[in-house]
Amino acid sequence: MNRCFSVNPAVALGCLRDFYFAIVLREGIYCKEIVGNGRCDYMRIDLIGAGSLGLLLGGKLALSGNEIRFWCRGNEQAQALKSTGLTVSYEDEREPEWMNGDRLEAAAAIEFADGYLQKPSDWIILTVKQLVLHTELVEILKPLRNSKSNIICFQNGSGHMEMLQELLPMAQLYAAVTTEAAKVVSSVEVIHAGTGETWIGRLQNLKNNKCTINNDSEVISLLEQLNIAGFLTRLSNEVETKIYRKLLINAVINPLTALWRIPNGELLSSPARIQLMRELYEEAILVYEAVGVSYDVNAWDTILQVCQATAGNTSSMLADVLAGRATEIRWINGHIIDMADRSGIAVPAHRWICRLVEGMNVEKE
């Protein structure tokens, strides 16, 4: 067998009958078959950040039988989830799925530490934006400094893992890179806008992280639940490489869509736009080579393919600009600038694009 597949969530829900599923990871670091006629081991998962990705992950994990606690930006969304429930819709012909609010736990994120310390979870999933992670969430997470918690981070960009390691030295930290697409309809409904892949791994430079994850039973259990929920998920010992590959794509596409306020596909509509994309790409590649970050030799073609495949999509940076929120550009293009400064590489296009986008970052009161 050489391919991955996941079981229908209905099989998992309640574990009311015998089940069989197999997970085979193409990267060769984990291969496991489960055959059973007993109950599944469900998880209690704290999910901080109930935006598009958070609602999608939490919703489908809850629908497949896990105990999910949503920690929201404020009480209004938390109350709405508990009273209305959560709907996961699809852009194809699949029927929407609804989770009754009576089966959901939700509260304001500011209450997270008390809730976690009183009733610890198996996993903490962070889906907040970088700015929130580096500001508000620092104070929220501080009480967990001496807790041996398992935390997985779904942030774009770079720099946050090292910050969390200093903040939470006892925690086991994992990075996730995903191509799943989600769109928020309301505080209680999300659209699964595109099926993708997710990779989970550790950054090797973090102090208390092991070198490999193939024998890590806790992360393997989480991976199983994500696959059952419908997310094609793999473990990776090279997740840092995947982070930087995604960083390169985001650094070329996202800021230009935000500046011109266009969907991804419109970047390819004129030679002038493609030329500016190419300048950002070539500067980033020079930096990657200088600091020893590996990249795909077909990276430019991949960027063009992403624009075509997601032609109608609104990038996360454009969504932030349209909503009047601060963007994540300092952790995307800004990280490339930081690496360039350390290696003496000139990156004028990235500096220019950062200044322009940061000048648009006026948060609504």
Side-chain angles (χ1 to χ4, degrees), residues 45-50 54-55 58-59 62 67-86 99-112 115 119 187-188:
I45 298 172
D46 284 307
L47 199 147
I48 305 179
L55 288 175
E67 180 185 337
I68 306 298
R69 299 189 294 197
F70 288 100
W71 301 95
C72 310
R73 194 175 185 90
N75 282 314
E76 185 176 349
Q77 183 184 20
Q79 293 302 318
L81 284 168
K82 289 190 290 187
S83 62
T84 306
L86 173 60
M99 172 67 73
N100 192 312
D102 292 341
R103 295 177 56 194
L104 294 175
E105 293 186 56
I110 196 170
E111 302 172 25
F112 165 72
K119 189 179 179 182
S187 63
V188 295

Side-chain angles (χ1 to χ4, degrees), residues 158-340:
S158 189
H160 56 288
M161 299 294 291
E162 293 80 4
M163 181 275 288
L164 286 170
Q165 181 70 87
E166 292 299 319
L167 180 67
L168 304 171
M170 301 294 291
Q172 284 295 323
L173 298 174
Y174 303 78
V177 178
T178 188
T179 57
E180 297 286 348
K183 297 179 184 177
V184 167
V185 177
S186 70
S187 63
V188 295
E189 182 176 358
V190 64
I191 297 173
H192 194 180
T195 300
E197 298 174 305
T198 301
W199 294 269
I200 296 173
R202 289 192 175 104
L203 269 61
Q204 303 306 316
N205 62 336
L206 296 188
K207 297 174 185 176
N208 64 339
N209 277 350
K210 304 170 188 175
C211 291
T212 61
I213 55 175
N214 54 306
N215 293 319
D216 189 327
S217 61
E218 291 175 317
V219 75
I220 287 171
S221 295
L222 176 64
L223 177 140
E224 291 170 355
Q225 294 304 325
L226 286 165
N227 275 280
I228 290 171
F231 301 111
L232 179 57
T233 308
R234 302 184 180 96
L235 304 183
S236 175
N237 283 324
E238 298 181 345
V239 71
E240 192 162 11
T241 297
K242 297 182 183 299
I243 287 172
Y244 276 102
R245 287 178 180 174
K246 187 174 182 181
L247 179 72
L248 177 61
I249 294 170
N250 287 340
V252 173
I253 293 176
N254 290 14
L256 295 178
T257 61
L259 280 173
W260 292 322
R261 303 198 177 200
I262 56 174
N264 295 350
E266 289 296 312
L267 288 174
L268 307 182
S269 65
S270 77
R273 290 176 177 175
I274 295 173
Q275 177 59 35
L276 189 47
M277 291 172 64
R278 186 75 192 192
E279 289 178 23
L280 290 170
Y281 167 79
E282 291 179 350
E283 286 185 1
I285 291 301
L286 286 175
V287 173
Y288 277 27
E289 291 176 345
V291 300
V293 171
S294 63
Y295 62 93
D296 191 335
V297 293
N298 299 315
W300 173 248
D301 291 334
T302 299
I303 290 170
L304 299 180
Q305 290 165 9
V306 169
C307 288
Q308 293 165 349
T310 62
N313 288 13
T314 297
S315 73
S316 59
M317 198 172 291
L318 173 56
D320 287 337
V321 168
L322 294 176
R325 297 188 296 260
T327 72
E328 295 180 298
I329 195 164
R330 75 175 69 172
W331 293 279
I332 300 175
N333 300 76
H335 187 66
I336 291 174
I337 292 171
D338 290 342
M339 291 191 295

Side-chain angles (χ1 to χ4, degrees), residues 119-165:
K119 189 179 179 182
S121 58
D122 299 299
W123 281 91
I124 300 168
I125 298 179
L126 302 181
T127 56
V128 296
K129 294 291 185 76
Q130 286 275 13
L131 181 62
V132 174
L133 181 58
H134 281 80
T135 54
E136 300 168 36
L137 214 61
V138 170
E139 293 301 317
I140 290 171
L141 294 175
K142 270 184 180 178
L144 275 64
R145 183 170 180 81
N146 296 318
S147 297
K148 295 181 179 180
S149 49
N150 293 318
I151 302 176
I152 183 166
C153 304
F154 277 83
Q155 281 67 41
N156 287 325
S158 189
H160 56 288
M161 299 294 291
E162 293 80 4
M163 181 275 288
L164 286 170
Q165 181 70 87

